[in-house]
Amino acid sequence: MKLEAAVDDLMETLRADLVRLAEIPSIAFPGFPDAPVHAAHDLLVELLRDAGVPSVERLDLPDTAPVIYGEIPPPTPEAPTVLLYGHYDVQPPGDENLWKSPPFEPTPIEGGLRARGIADDKSNVIAHLGMLRAYGGRPPVGIKIVIEGQEEYGSAFDDYPPTDPERFACDAMVVADLGNLRPGTPTLTTALRGASEVVVEVRTLDEPRHSGEFGGAAPDALLVLLKALATLHDVHGDVAVEGLRREDWSGTSYTEEEFRALAGVREGVPLVGSGSLGERLWSGPAITVIGLDAPSVEHAASAVVPYARAKLNLRFHPRQDAREAQGKLVDHLRSLTPFGVSLTVTPGDTGPGYEAATGGPAYRAARAALKEAWGEDASFVATGGSIPLVNGLAQAAPGAEVLLFGAQDSMCNLHAPNERVLFSELRNTVVAMAAFVREYAADFTGADTDSGADANTGSGTGSGTGSGTGADFGPGADGERGA
């Protein structure tokens, strides 16, 4: 109760700091000014020092917004070290006409605030600050804090941690770039699907030809492409590419009603695929056509199409090798010759998934902390989104337990118009982070470091990754694994 009272006393200041941070349009995308990104960086450096972080550095990497790095030494030699991660850059607001208020004017809503980036990820950065303030800058663990400034666009920092492992060495890390399945439901995300892109293109004619004179014999590139794309899914909408891993999902998931509302599925339109929502979204593959080059309807001519191209986004099982998954899709497409026409298939970027091992002292502490903050046991979920840096951090600190939780929730409209955060989620996240470091410090020295590969501790037992080094996907016999 003392901890909760301390956090409650801090909330007015934390809200004010969140408003200051959310007012800054820190968009680290090409074509946007650099000055706001640096302003957000400078504000956070100021806030971290005020919160008691004695050592704050700036990491500059090529073509990347500055990364904030800070340290608080462990209070005793036996105390563990926890790395805290967040990012201060935000997505562009998109069409501002779709916003109910200007995206960089934090606006009160019932129980919270609306602004671009206020949930993803500025509320989580403020939650880290709240935890530090709750302890007067002297938490019961050592702290390393990493706040990057170009997460949304992507940067060289994703691959940097393994090149500087001493800097990122820790016993556990809290990656606060996620949140709860729904408001009021404490949630630990224990797996991330991998992501890959593939471009497929078709050229059949030197140039367009009159559809009346040539249609029926001249090969239409768009029809060839559409026939190829149609082979990627079966009649139910499930991915039909052989070799892409899919398993049952036994953790927590959305109800169909929640998912339909979140996705904005129109009334009467069925969902795609079969099996549970968790299986379709998290423990199985998904292929989406995210771009198509073809004549527009508005400017269509009566001509056979000579060229068409599509960009595909593949999401795959957290433990399937990234190159293997992408290769399965590439091989499938290259094996096709619709109407006898070969396809040109070009693999693009690919990133591994991640699966956390959940049997160690950090997860024990996190479950207790989330229950203390929200008053109920934590749910375990995965996510179809990707956080490339997680793998880099895990490689730099292979013995560290990786925890993913935060002040967002699945209904906060991140990356969409009218993004918002709820004060109840921010407050409870601060309580949970503060309770976590307390519980973890108390449990750490007595932890059983010989509990096997499923318990990632500071002893270097290794963490589950997309390469399959983790334990079985799904809850284990002790009920500790939800992903």
Side-chain angles (χ1 to χ4, degrees):
M1 294 302 295
K2 288 183 179 179
L3 180 60
E4 293 195 28
V7 172
D8 288 337
D9 288 343
L10 290 169
M11 282 304 296
E12 183 175 350
T13 301
L14 293 177
R15 286 195 292 265
D17 289 338
L18 179 58
V19 167
R20 291 175 66 193
L21 190 58
E23 287 174 334
I24 302 173
S26 49
I27 305 167
F29 279 63
F32 290 87
D34 293 336
V37 177
H38 291 277
H41 168 278
D42 294 347
L43 174 59
L44 281 172
V45 169
E46 173 192 329
L47 293 175
L48 285 168
R49 288 177 173 151
D50 289 345
V53 182
S55 174
V56 183
E57 301 176 41
R58 169 176 168 150
L59 300 181
D60 287 300
L61 300 175
D63 302 316
T64 300
V67 178
I68 300 169
Y69 177 83
E71 285 191 20
I72 299 176
T76 66
E78 298 79 19
T81 293
V82 175
L83 185 150
L84 307 176
Y85 169 81
H87 63 88
Y88 63 85
D89 63 306
V90 302
Q91 282 280 324
D95 185 354
E96 296 192 22
N97 292 321
L98 299 177
W99 285 76
K100 297 178 181 178
S101 55
F104 293 104
E105 292 181 14
T107 302
I109 60 169
E110 184 177 356
L113 286 170
R114 178 174 57 237
R116 168 55 85 226
I118 202 156
D120 181 21
D121 189 44
K122 292 179 177 179
S123 61
N124 286 323
V125 173
I126 294 297
H128 287 322
L129 285 165
M131 182 276 287
L132 297 175
R133 288 176 178 165
Y135 286 103
R138 296 185 178 182
V141 299
I143 292 293
K144 294 184 176 182
I145 188 159
V146 178
I147 308 175
E148 70 168 311
Q150 199 169 303
E151 189 273 347
E152 297 291 4
Y153 182 71
S155 76
F157 187 61
D158 288 347
D159 302 317
Y160 177 75
T163 70
D164 192 5
E166 185 175 351
R167 182 185 296 275
F168 300 97
C170 60
D171 299 289
M173 59 186 78
V174 177
V175 177
D177 195 12
L178 289 163
N180 291 338
L181 184 68
R182 60 184 68 89
T185 299
T187 304
L188 286 164
T189 299
T190 57
L192 308 169
R193 270 199 306 202
S196 181
E197 291 183 345
V198 172
V199 172
V200 54
E201 55 188 317
V202 182
R203 185 174 292 279
T204 56
L205 306 173
D206 293 332
E207 57 188 18
R209 284 291 186 265
H210 192 291
S211 58
E213 294 186 19
F214 296 95
D220 184 317
L222 183 54
L223 286 178
V224 171
L225 179 61
L226 293 176
K227 191 168 181 64
L229 297 180
T231 70
L232 299 176
H233 298 83
D234 65 17
V235 293
H236 304 291
D238 294 314
V239 170
V241 176
E242 291 188 9
L244 292 177
R245 189 168 177 174
R246 176 170 177 162
E247 297 177 5
D248 292 338
W249 174 257
S250 51
T252 308
S253 184
Y254 303 110
T255 66
E256 182 170 333
E257 291 73 19
E258 284 177 325
F259 182 77
R260 292 181 69 89
L262 287 169
V265 180
R266 290 177 175 263
E267 186 176 353
V269 177
L271 300 186
V272 174
S274 61
S276 71
L277 277 172
E279 186 176 335
R280 281 178 272 175
L281 297 172
W282 301 328
S283 62
I287 299 175
T288 306
V289 180
I290 61 172
L292 185 66
D293 289 338
S296 69
V297 170
E298 184 177 355
H299 299 101
S302 297
V304 179
V305 175
Y307 174 78
R309 180 173 66 159
K311 189 172 189 178
L312 310 179
N313 179 264
L314 167 66
R315 302 288 171 152
F316 50 90
H317 190 286
R319 287 212 312 270
Q320 185 159 23
D321 178 79
R323 293 295 177 189
E324 177 191 49
Q326 185 185 60
K328 297 296 183 183
L329 177 56
V330 169
D331 290 347
H332 174 93
L333 290 167
R334 286 177 176 168
S335 72
L336 303 175
T337 53
F339 308 120
V341 177
S342 297
L343 311 174
T344 299
V345 184
T346 306
D349 292 338
T350 189
Y354 182 80
E355 184 194 12
T358 60
Y363 266 85
R364 287 195 296 270
R367 288 196 298 273
L370 267 66
K371 185 171 185 178
E372 180 174 334
W374 274 274
E376 62 180 80
D377 290 332
S379 295
F380 292 83
V381 304
T383 180
S386 58
I387 307 176
L389 183 67
V390 170
N391 283 281
L393 289 171
Q395 291 173 38
E401 294 182 75
V402 181
L403 304 161
L404 296 100
F405 68 93
Q408 302 171 22
D409 64 82
S410 63
M411 303 172 186
C412 70
N413 287 341
L414 74 164
H415 293 208
N418 302 306
E419 181 178 349
R420 62 100 179 108
V421 72
L422 299 177
F423 293 137
S424 59
E425 300 301 287
L426 174 59
R427 180 262 186 196
N428 288 348
T429 300
V430 178
V431 172
M433 288 184 175
F436 164 68
V437 296
R438 181 198 66 209
E439 294 294 314
Y440 185 44
D443 188 26
F444 182 79
T445 55
D448 178 9
T449 57
D450 295 322
S451 57
D454 206 29
N456 284 350
T457 71
S459 60
T461 55
S463 62
T465 69
S467 61
T469 57
D472 290 341
F473 200 76
D478 59 2
E480 292 186 343
R481 295 183 72 84

